[in-house]
Amino acid sequence: FQNKYCFWNQLFENWLISCFSQLLVQKVIKNGNLFNALFLKFSGARDSLYRLSLEGLTKLEKAEWPAKQDKISLCITKGQSEKDCRNFVKVLVSHNDQLLACGTYSFSPKCSWRPIEAIRQVTEYVDGRGKCPYNPRANASAYMNRWT
């Protein structure tokens, strides 16, 4: 598949994933200058995060973030569907050079702080209650002010 705007092989490899839940476009300013080449796009999906380029949506980095099996089992035992008992990333917020990502984590919300340019690294995990919905079908909006 190809059209005049993009080639399929230039798109990030998981183009069939249908569970993208959040999108964050981050502009990077270094030394007081805005660098267009450093505009970054982040996408949250089921059990993973992606850092994508704006031009061509090429995958720059993928971070796996599945819920642990014991959380999935407990979630199913409590009557939720196996499909919903995963980690759906619902909140993506940037703060300086860090990314706060929050997921449903099998109906037990969890957040992580990650460096913007290395999203596979986790600098800190925090409780996601009050920051992220429990249910993957719930809508979420997030805002972080400079004092947070």
Side-chain angles (χ1 to χ4, degrees):
F1 166 78
Q2 125 181 353
N3 65 29
K4 67 180 183 177
Y5 300 108
C6 65
F7 297 91
W8 71 269
N9 62 350
Q10 291 177 327
L11 298 176
F12 70 103
E13 67 187 28
N14 290 5
W15 61 275
L16 291 176
I17 290 178
S18 61
C19 296
F20 288 101
S21 53
Q22 291 299 319
L23 186 64
L24 170 69
V25 178
Q26 170 69 36
K27 61 184 175 183
V28 177
I29 298 176
K30 291 187 176 181
N31 301 325
N33 296 314
L34 175 63
F35 291 90
N36 288 333
L38 293 177
F39 272 76
L40 302 173
K41 182 183 273 189
F42 298 92
S43 179
R46 186 181 79 179
D47 296 336
S48 44
L49 297 166
Y50 293 90
R51 185 165 57 99
L52 309 171
S53 70
L54 279 178
E55 188 173 326
L57 291 180
T58 54
K59 181 182 76 170
L60 300 174
E61 187 177 9
K62 177 183 179 184
E64 298 282 343
W65 191 22
K68 292 189 177 178
Q69 189 56 49
D70 62 325
K71 289 283 189 188
I72 294 171
S73 298
L74 180 61
C75 179
I76 293 168
T77 301
K78 290 181 176 182
Q80 299 298 332
S81 71
E82 185 174 350
K83 181 181 175 184
D84 287 346
C85 290
R86 305 294 288 269
N87 187 26
F88 291 85
V89 177
K90 302 294 285 179
V91 174
L92 292 172
V93 180
S94 65
H95 181 70
N96 295 328
D97 60 349
Q98 294 283 307
L99 176 70
L100 176 67
C102 299
T104 59
Y105 211 77
S106 295
F107 283 77
S108 182
K110 189 173 189 176
C111 297
S112 62
W113 283 100
R114 300 161 185 265
I116 278 183
E117 295 189 26
I119 63 170
R120 285 188 206 117
Q121 297 175 12
V122 176
T123 55
E124 181 183 4
Y125 285 107
V126 294
D127 187 355
R129 291 177 293 175
K131 298 173 187 72
C132 180
Y134 288 74
N135 190 326
R137 299 175 198 284
N139 291 326
S141 295
Y143 172 78
M144 184 179 302
N145 65 34
R146 64 183 176 169
W147 296 284
T148 302

